[in-house]
Amino acid sequence: MKKLETRLWNPSFSHIYVEKEAFLYPLTSEIIGKLNSKIIEIDRYKDVFSNSNQNFSIQKNSPKLILAVKKDNYLYKGAEVCQSFENSNFYYTSSIMNCLYNCEYCYLQGVYNSGNIVVFVNINEMFEEIKKILLEKKNLYICISYDTDLLAIDNLIGLVELWYQLLEKNSDLKIELRTKSINISKLKRLKPLNNFIIAYTLSPEQLSIIHEMGTPPFKKRLKAIKELIELGWNIRLCFDPLLYIKNFEKYYSDMINECFNIVDGEKILDISIGSFRISKEYLKRMRKNNPNSLILSYPFSCKDGVYSYDDKRNSKIIEFVKNQLIKYVPVHKIYININ
């Protein structure tokens, strides 16, 4: 039955929608050349991607690729619910919209109507804008992988090395690449940079298998982390979102113990922890897309338009995880995301 179900879907990226203007950029040719896909010319990516008559969950079974040209808003101010790690001039950017993975709790399903993936091919124009802002601000901290997992799709898109080259020439620019991917072969060939942070999101193995569809297993992520640390890369660990579930103490204590049996806590740059939190509007859409989700069906409390666990449960799970972590890392390296 599973084989039959699989055959019902076209393979991922069987079709590529390309804006007319996007054909003018070299990255478009590079991406198309790597795939044997049907090419469909379009006027605007939003005509395909932003159409309200779509089903995010169904499209994730067979996502299509959309190549577009970004016109403005190359940088966005970092959101208050996100951690700046004491960096000034905190921004994030979206060179890709949507993710290869399909995590049940991911806010992207509340942001976008579509499960397809948009790639903005005019990356060099984005870089020029960043350099102008860098001259004005003197330093920048940019999270480049909030709305996707850049590393997971890098074999096809190839943006990670382009960001690396930008950092080589601009020491006052710092980036965070957040990921769950074990696609580290290219990083292993590059010299680590102090201003390039690789942030790995980790969840207990039992939860990852059920709720993080398509992601690499927990143990393989640990192996990748250990390899990168030994090569000298700055590694941030992100235990976020923490899920308040039955027996969470066992799940998270076992995960942390296993993590630091493999990873040297002294060599970790820092750690981010935070409980599940989501805006009111995003959660509404997420529940509509996934009505059978136990995670999303939880009776959250709403505070200032953000849904999360109540204060007592939030404090309980965060303090528990923090107390487990300080067995292995200094407390000053632990940053807590507070709603």
Side-chain angles (χ1 to χ4, degrees):
M1 182 62 73
K2 288 185 178 180
K3 290 183 179 179
L4 177 60
E5 183 178 332
T6 302
R7 294 192 196 107
L8 294 175
W9 304 104
N10 287 320
S12 297
F13 308 147
S14 60
H15 296 67
I16 304 177
Y17 296 88
V18 186
E19 284 186 344
K20 291 178 182 178
E21 190 177 348
F23 281 110
L24 302 175
Y25 291 83
L27 185 56
T28 298
S29 299
E30 291 177 23
I31 294 170
I32 290 175
K34 293 176 182 178
L35 296 168
N36 183 25
S37 306
K38 182 176 181 179
I39 309 302
I40 302 171
E41 185 178 292
I42 57 176
D43 292 320
R44 300 187 315 152
Y45 82 90
K46 290 183 179 180
D47 294 338
V48 178
F49 187 71
S50 301
N51 190 314
S52 60
N53 189 27
Q54 300 183 80
N55 188 300
F56 184 97
S57 298
I58 290 176
Q59 288 180 334
K60 291 295 286 187
N61 290 298
S62 176
K64 306 302 182 283
L65 201 59
I66 304 170
L67 306 184
V69 176
K70 196 170 183 65
K71 301 294 187 181
D72 50 25
N73 294 329
Y74 293 112
L75 286 181
Y76 303 89
K77 288 290 290 183
E80 291 184 4
V81 295
C82 299
Q83 180 62 251
S84 68
F85 299 93
E86 301 180 46
N87 290 285
S88 57
N89 302 320
F90 168 36
Y91 293 85
Y92 76 94
T93 186
S94 295
S95 50
I96 298 179
M97 298 163 64
N98 252 339
C99 184
L100 278 180
Y101 302 140
N102 190 18
C103 298
E104 184 178 335
Y105 53 75
C106 182
Y107 76 97
L108 293 180
Q109 58 189 300
V111 179
Y112 304 132
N113 294 318
S114 175
N116 296 321
I117 294 178
V118 177
V119 178
F120 294 110
V121 295
N122 56 326
I123 187 68
N124 287 326
E125 292 172 12
M126 180 184 293
F127 288 167
E128 290 304 313
E129 182 67 20
I130 288 172
K131 285 188 279 188
K132 288 179 185 177
I133 297 173
L134 183 59
L135 283 174
E136 175 190 344
K137 300 287 187 179
K138 307 304 180 185
N139 62 78
L140 287 174
Y141 170 66
I142 306 177
C143 295
I144 66 171
S145 197
Y146 270 3
D147 295 340
T148 189
D149 191 318
L150 273 182
L151 198 60
I153 200 171
D154 193 57
N155 288 345
L156 175 61
I157 310 301
L159 294 185
V160 172
E161 190 163 2
L162 296 181
W163 278 103
Y164 178 92
Q165 292 167 1
L166 181 68
L167 290 179
E168 278 188 307
K169 300 172 184 176
N170 296 275
S171 58
D172 292 326
L173 173 63
K174 183 191 296 184
I175 67 166
E176 181 208 77
L177 172 68
R178 191 161 297 204
T179 188
K180 295 174 183 173
S181 175
I182 58 173
N183 180 30
I184 63 170
S185 57
K186 186 176 294 184
L187 292 174
K188 289 165 69 174
R189 296 195 298 268
L190 297 172
K191 179 183 177 182
L193 300 175
N194 286 333
N195 52 339
F196 194 142
I197 299 166
I198 304 170
Y200 262 94
T201 299
L202 294 172
S203 302
E205 185 170 26
Q206 301 91 329
L207 301 186
S208 178
I209 291 170
I210 298 171
H211 303 297
E212 297 180 351
M213 291 180 60
T215 62
F218 173 70
K219 289 182 175 62
K220 288 189 177 182
R221 290 186 223 178
L222 290 184
K223 181 176 181 292
I225 290 168
K226 182 179 180 181
E227 288 185 59
L228 291 174
I229 288 175
E230 289 175 350
L231 289 171
W233 287 91
N234 280 326
I235 299 295
R236 170 173 294 146
L237 299 183
C238 303
F239 302 103
D240 190 354
L242 302 174
L243 301 177
Y244 193 93
I245 57 174
K246 186 178 180 180
N247 298 324
F248 77 81
E249 294 95 341
K250 176 172 173 50
Y251 285 128
Y252 285 105
S253 61
D254 287 351
M255 173 190 67
I256 291 168
N257 291 337
E258 183 171 2
C259 175
F260 291 103
N261 280 336
I262 294 174
V263 176
D264 187 345
E266 293 184 0
K267 295 182 180 179
I268 293 294
L269 175 66
D270 52 37
I271 294 175
S272 170
I273 62 176
S275 60
F276 179 86
R277 60 206 179 280
I278 197 78
S279 79
K280 181 178 180 180
E281 287 303 312
Y282 291 173
L283 181 61
K284 181 179 178 181
R285 293 180 198 167
M286 292 164 71
R287 284 172 167 170
K288 182 179 179 181
N289 284 328
N290 197 350
N292 298 318
S293 169
L294 294 178
I295 291 177
L296 303 179
S297 298
Y298 189 91
F300 298 107
S301 296
C302 187
K303 183 178 180 181
D304 298 328
V306 177
Y307 273 111
S308 187
Y309 306 112
D310 59 56
D311 290 342
K312 181 179 179 180
R313 287 176 172 80
N314 268 331
S315 296
K316 184 176 180 180
I317 192 169
I318 287 174
E319 284 303 309
F320 177 82
V321 170
K322 178 183 174 182
N323 288 334
Q324 297 300 306
L325 289 171
I326 60 178
K327 298 175 184 177
Y328 301 99
V329 296
V331 68
H332 71 267
K333 285 190 174 185
I334 301 173
Y335 293 83
I336 300 174
N337 290 314
I338 301 175
N339 302 334

